[in-house]
Amino acid sequence: MNQRVVEGWAWTPEQTRLFYVTRGEGIPIVICNGIGVDWRTYWPEISMSLADSFQVVNWDYRGHGGSDSPIYPEQYDISECARDIARVMDALDLPKAV
């Protein structure tokens, strides 16, 4: 399958950039890294393997990896993280994902 890698950014309303990388084709899988790591720390081999059959999206939380830190520290919370996942999916025109 297609292992073409595409890097990009989704934007929050306050203009915080959220970095993502996507590879492969098929049913989208969005991988959340966990606090304190970025997509390059743990996921490259797993993502490349999954990309043989799926579209794999890795993205960095606010203040991690290639993403900007939020303007307001209170924006580090679970509900904002969920909205950020939706922003990344919207930037990639993904209506749903695993």
Side-chain angles (χ1 to χ4, degrees):
M1 288 226 115
N2 178 8
Q3 284 279 339
R4 185 173 68 100
V5 176
V6 176
E7 295 183 357
W9 287 271
W11 296 85
T12 68
E14 71 281 355
Q15 300 303 302
T16 300
R17 291 181 313 160
L18 303 170
F19 177 79
Y20 65 81
V21 61
T22 182
R23 70 179 80 226
E25 296 177 351
I27 296 170
I29 298 175
V30 177
I31 297 177
C32 300
N33 302 320
I35 300 297
V37 298
D38 64 34
W39 79 273
R40 289 177 180 93
T41 305
Y42 180 74
W43 297 106
E45 290 180 28
I46 294 168
S47 296
M48 286 187 287
S49 177
L50 289 171
D52 287 337
S53 302
F54 302 97
Q55 178 184 3
V56 181
V57 178
N58 299 94
W59 70 285
D60 290 332
Y61 294 160
R62 295 169 181 237
H64 293 74
S67 292
D68 294 339
S69 296
I71 295 169
Y72 307 105
E74 60 271 12
Q75 291 176 324
Y76 284 112
D77 68 20
I78 295 297
S79 57
E80 199 63 46
C81 182
R83 286 188 285 272
D84 288 347
I85 294 168
R87 291 175 180 118
V88 169
M89 290 177 62
D90 287 348
L92 291 165
D93 196 27
L94 301 176
K96 60 183 179 176
V98 175

